[in-house]
Amino acid sequence: MKHSISTAAAIGAGEKSGGRLSSSDILKYLPLAGLVMLVVFFQVTSGGRLLTAQNLKLVFVQSYALFLAAIAGAFVIATDNLDFSMGATLGFASACACFAAMVDVRLALPVAVAVGLVVGLANGVAHVVFRLPSFIVCLCMMFILTAATQTMTKGTSMMMPVSMMSFDNTLMKVAVFVVYLAFMLVLFEYTKVGKHLKAIGISPEAARQSGVDIGKMKIIAYMITGAAAGFAGFFTLIRSGAASPANGQTMTTDVIIAIVLGGMSISGGATSKISAALIGTLVITVLGNGMVLSGMGGDAQQLIKGIIFIAVVAVSARGNTSAIVK
Amino acid sequence: MRRTKFIFACVLVMAVIGTAGAQGAGKKAVPFKFGFSIWGTSDGHGRYVTEATKWAVKAMGGDLVIDTGALSPDAQITSIENLIQAGCKIVSFCAYTGDACIPKIAQLCKDNGVYFVIWDTDITDPKVKQIVEANPYYVGNTNEDQFSTGYDGVAQLAKLGVKNLVLVKYGIGVATCDDREKGALKAAQEKGIKIAYTIIAPEDAKKAMQDVLVSHPEVDGLFVLGGTESYLSPMNSAIAAAGKSGKVRIASIDFSDAMKGMFASKSLDLIYGGHIVTSTFAALMAVNAYYKTPLSAKPYKVHIPYLKLTSSAESEAYYSLVVGSVPPYNADELKKFVKYYNDGLTLDSFQKMVSQYSISDIQARHR
């Protein structure tokens, strides 16, 4: 209902403005414009180092795990929920994968994804079947997994088998990413799963009355984020060579920041889009990379990060006021 | 004529010798970019260590590039990648997130011909050590002697008459903390001190100390093995609230901003820390390698002494002479640690000069 109202309002606004860009159109393209401005700024301040082929490759590999996690994170956020256990799942899955790799390196990936899937299923079941608030469930899961990872790694970092270093191949990562993105995009935009998840985000009651199995859909959403966190955990492991309690520590907040920076409402709904995860992830990575290339001091780096995040979120929140209020 | 020739020859020889002797002073700095990877600069240690690296790099005519946010192995690698991409020919980092990501960093440095040095940590995993030490671009590391510091802390408390001691550990399985504890336990055994209780990583330090004071009223000593910034002040206020200020003697490792007030109120007896030069000397080790005048053909370790403060006057000296507006070493003093400027420098003399780092040494040089 809200979707149709806002769509009608948007159409009306478009008609009134006579084909010119409305304020909602501007807000829609603001994250992308922000990313472009950021790239131009750092290209200039870094003396042209930012847009070199070598650095673009770096930006891609540095943002890889966040890309994987943020794209999946959009599925849960679309339902107006958050998965606070994503980072801990990533850390736990990478530790399990590291142990599995010590038995046979071929086990690392399936174990990481399976662990993530089971964690996601547990989150979904606890929330849906036992009717526990998703926030509490995920927070508790985060504590459990963090403790488990601490125990497994004995509080320090654990080296993966040296033979696994060859897995960290950029070409392979590109191929996997293309397939992953295509799959998630189709799932989110063109299948019942994606549409139902967005419908739940707009209005759970309306979705229920339209025949959407809310419980099942929510469990699926958590399983997707869990599996993706496990997948990202595997790639984090082969990139760093280490399973560590610190792996994924900032991932949960990074996913949320990326999605919001990318222009998606944290309350989900019809405006949810995969592109938000892509743009937001790039903003975070380019910001970190660009500041170092430009030789900015340590204090300045933290200050600028904070200011940019607040500014973008403030502007995005203003544009999405109607969607946030439920 | 012969005599004139002889005098001329002597003058010439003396001139040559003189030039060689003064070589260091006349040499021009070779510009370079120095990459410094750290977890952040908003905490005291992070801020001071970054400043301490700046002294060295600036004195050597280099340009310091900083990357903050190395909080996980993945982020540590990202940090090093960014620094190399920024054109750094030397990178320096603390293996804060553990050993396991160092082989990847070593490979990155080798692929890009970048020298690297580790500060404030040892590589403990033998497998990692073997891989990293085989890398021609690995210079070495700096670290402090944790065992001896733990030992000395308890030995000093014993001299103050402590018989029943509370130890505070900031983690389990943390090598630095474990080594400090081993030293403390050895001293306790030798000096006949009873470890009444060991508090481990308390979330509420004040409450933890209050509980211990109730359950172990015989406690007359407290030794904080690290995490001082979080624990020292709340634990001291618990001791004060129990009316035991001065009766419970306190020692701690790692400086805290609370120490100034605690020394002034005479509630703190002893504190070890101020090892901010750990990154300064690591930088100078790497500069030696970059100038192709390495101090050793193999990777080496330099021991950094902790500063030991026992009074309000020493605490004030620390704030004015070490982390004040004037660094504890000036550019000329720092150049003595680089063979390019100081021909006679050896690894032994480097370590000897580093070992002199103390409040009295700084006071003497600042006079």
Side-chain angles (χ1 to χ4, degrees), chain A residues 204-216:
Chain A
E205 193 47 44
R208 194 189 322 273
Q209 289 187 13
S210 307
V212 175
D213 186 340
I214 292 180
K216 186 175 145 191

Side-chain angles (χ1 to χ4, degrees), chain A residues 35 38 42 50 55-67 239 254 258 261 277-292 305 309, chain B residues 78 81-82:
Chain A
L35 174 63
L38 209 60
F42 284 126
L50 187 80
N55 194 54
L56 290 176
K57 185 181 146 192
L58 264 192
V59 169
F60 174 73
V61 295
Q62 288 175 0
S63 51
Y64 200 75
L66 184 55
F67 267 137
R239 172 171 157 73
D254 283 350
L261 283 175
L278 297 177
I279 293 170
T281 300
L282 281 174
V283 169
I284 291 176
T285 314
V286 168
L287 193 60
N289 175 264
M291 286 194 296
V292 178
K305 259 186 206 170
F309 288 170
Chain B
T78 297
E81 283 174 342
N82 287 341

Side-chain angles (χ1 to χ4, degrees), chain A residues 62 168 239 289 292 299 301, chain B residues 41 66-67 74 78 82 104:
Chain A
Q62 288 175 0
D168 191 22
R239 172 171 157 73
N289 175 264
V292 178
D299 294 340
Q301 287 178 24
Chain B
T41 54
I66 303 166
D67 187 301
D74 185 28
T78 297
N82 287 341
K104 181 72 186 280

Side-chain angles (χ1 to χ4, degrees), chain A residues 8 28 44 78 80 116 142 164 174 208 226 264 267 279 308 321:
Chain A
K28 195 171 143 191
V44 173
D80 191 15
M142 182 185 84
M164 273 181 83
V174 172
R208 194 189 322 273
M264 184 170 148
S267 56
I279 293 170
I308 288 184
T321 307

Side-chain angles (χ1 to χ4, degrees), chain A residues 134-157:
Chain A
S134 65
F135 173 74
I136 302 292
V137 168
C138 293
L139 214 57
C140 294
M141 185 59 82
M142 182 185 84
F143 292 137
I144 293 167
L145 296 180
T146 305
T149 312
Q150 284 272 6
T151 309
M152 286 173 78
T153 59
K154 292 178 184 160
T156 181
S157 63

Side-chain angles (χ1 to χ4, degrees), chain B residues 36-41 43 45-47 49-50 66-71 76 79 83 92-94 119:
Chain B
F36 187 65
S37 169
I38 191 164
W39 57 84
T41 54
D43 64 302
H45 192 51
R47 191 168 62 247
V49 160
T50 306
I66 303 166
D67 187 301
T68 55
L71 288 164
Q76 180 85 79
S79 170
L83 292 170
S92 162
F93 63 97
C94 168
W119 49 269

